Coordinates of all heavy atoms in Angstrom, one line a residue:
K323 N 61.3 76.4 123.7 CA 59.9 76.3 124.2 C 58.8 76.8 123.2 O 57.6 76.7 123.5 CB 59.7 77.1 125.5 CG 60.5 76.6 126.7 CD 60.3 77.5 127.9 CE 60.9 77.0 129.2 NZ 60.8 77.9 130.3
G324 N 59.3 77.4 122.1 CA 58.4 77.9 121.1 C 57.9 79.3 121.5 O 56.8 79.7 121.1
E325 N 58.7 80.1 122.3 CA 58.2 81.4 122.8 C 59.2 82.5 122.3 O 59.4 83.5 123.0 CB 58.1 81.4 124.3 CG 57.1 80.3 124.8 CD 57.2 80.1 126.3 OE1 58.1 80.7 126.9 OE2 56.4 79.3 126.8
L326 N 59.9 82.3 121.2 CA 61.0 83.2 120.8 C 60.5 84.6 120.4 O 61.2 85.6 120.5 CB 61.7 82.6 119.6 CG 62.9 83.4 119.1 CD1 64.0 83.5 120.2 CD2 63.5 82.8 117.9
E327 N 59.2 84.7 120.0 CA 58.7 86.0 119.5 C 58.8 87.1 120.6 O 58.8 88.3 120.2 CB 57.3 85.9 119.0 CG 56.3 85.4 120.1 CD 56.3 83.8 120.2 OE1 56.9 83.2 119.4 OE2 55.6 83.4 121.2
K328 N 59.0 86.8 121.8 CA 59.1 87.9 122.8 C 60.5 88.5 122.8 O 60.7 89.5 123.5 CB 58.8 87.3 124.2 CG 59.8 86.2 124.7 CD 59.5 85.9 126.2 CE 58.3 84.9 126.3 NZ 58.2 84.2 127.6
Y329 N 61.5 88.0 122.0 CA 62.8 88.5 122.0 C 63.1 89.2 120.7 O 62.8 88.8 119.6 CB 63.8 87.4 122.2 CG 63.9 86.9 123.6 CD1 63.0 85.8 124.0 CD2 64.6 87.5 124.6 CE1 63.0 85.4 125.3 CE2 64.6 87.1 125.9 CZ 63.8 86.0 126.3 OH 63.8 85.6 127.6
A330 N 63.8 90.4 120.8 CA 64.3 91.1 119.7 C 65.7 90.6 119.4 O 66.3 89.9 120.2 CB 64.3 92.6 120.0
A331 N 66.3 91.0 118.3 CA 67.7 90.7 118.0 C 68.6 91.1 119.1 O 68.4 92.2 119.7 CB 68.1 91.3 116.7
P332 N 69.6 90.4 119.5 CA 70.4 90.7 120.6 C 71.3 91.9 120.4 O 71.7 92.2 119.3 CB 71.3 89.4 120.9 CG 71.3 88.8 119.5 CD 70.0 89.1 118.9
K333 N 71.7 92.6 121.5 CA 72.6 93.7 121.4 C 74.0 93.2 121.1 O 74.4 92.2 121.6 CB 72.6 94.5 122.8 CG 71.3 95.1 123.2 CD 71.5 96.1 124.3 CE 72.0 95.4 125.6 NZ 70.9 94.6 126.3
K334 N 74.7 94.0 120.3 CA 76.1 93.7 119.9 C 77.1 94.7 120.5 O 76.7 95.8 120.6 CB 76.2 93.7 118.4 CG 75.1 92.9 117.6 CD 75.3 91.4 117.6 CE 74.6 90.7 116.6 NZ 73.2 91.2 116.3
K335 N 78.3 94.2 120.8 CA 79.3 95.1 121.1 C 79.7 95.9 119.9 O 79.7 95.4 118.8 CB 80.6 94.3 121.6 CG 80.3 93.5 122.8 CD 81.5 92.6 123.1 CE 81.2 91.7 124.4 NZ 82.3 90.7 124.6
K336 N 80.0 97.2 120.0 CA 80.3 98.0 118.9 C 81.8 97.9 118.6 O 82.6 98.8 118.7 CB 80.0 99.5 119.2 CG 78.5 99.7 119.4 CD 78.1 101.2 119.4 CE 76.7 101.4 119.7 NZ 75.7 100.6 118.9
L337 N 82.2 96.6 118.3 CA 83.5 96.3 118.0 C 83.6 95.4 116.8 O 82.6 94.9 116.3 CB 84.1 95.4 119.2 CG 84.2 96.1 120.6 CD1 84.6 95.1 121.7 CD2 85.2 97.3 120.6
A338 N 84.9 95.3 116.3 CA 85.1 94.4 115.1 C 85.9 93.2 115.6 O 86.7 93.3 116.5 CB 86.0 95.2 114.1
G339 N 85.6 92.0 115.1 CA 86.2 90.8 115.5 C 86.9 90.1 114.4 O 86.4 90.0 113.3
V340 N 88.1 89.5 114.7 CA 88.9 88.7 113.8 C 89.2 87.4 114.5 O 89.7 87.4 115.7 CB 90.1 89.4 113.3 CG1 91.1 88.4 112.6 CG2 89.8 90.6 112.4
H341 N 89.0 86.3 113.8 CA 89.3 84.9 114.4 C 90.2 84.2 113.5 O 89.9 84.1 112.2 CB 88.0 84.1 114.6 CG 88.2 82.7 115.0 ND1 88.4 82.4 116.3 CD2 88.3 81.6 114.3 CE1 88.5 81.1 116.4 NE2 88.5 80.6 115.2

Side-chain angles (χ1 to χ4, degrees):
K323 290 178 176 178
E325 300 168 357
L326 183 62
E327 56 279 349
K328 64 173 80 164
Y329 288 91
K333 296 193 295 287
K334 311 283 197 322
K335 296 172 184 172
K336 297 191 186 306
L337 298 172
V340 169
H341 175 82

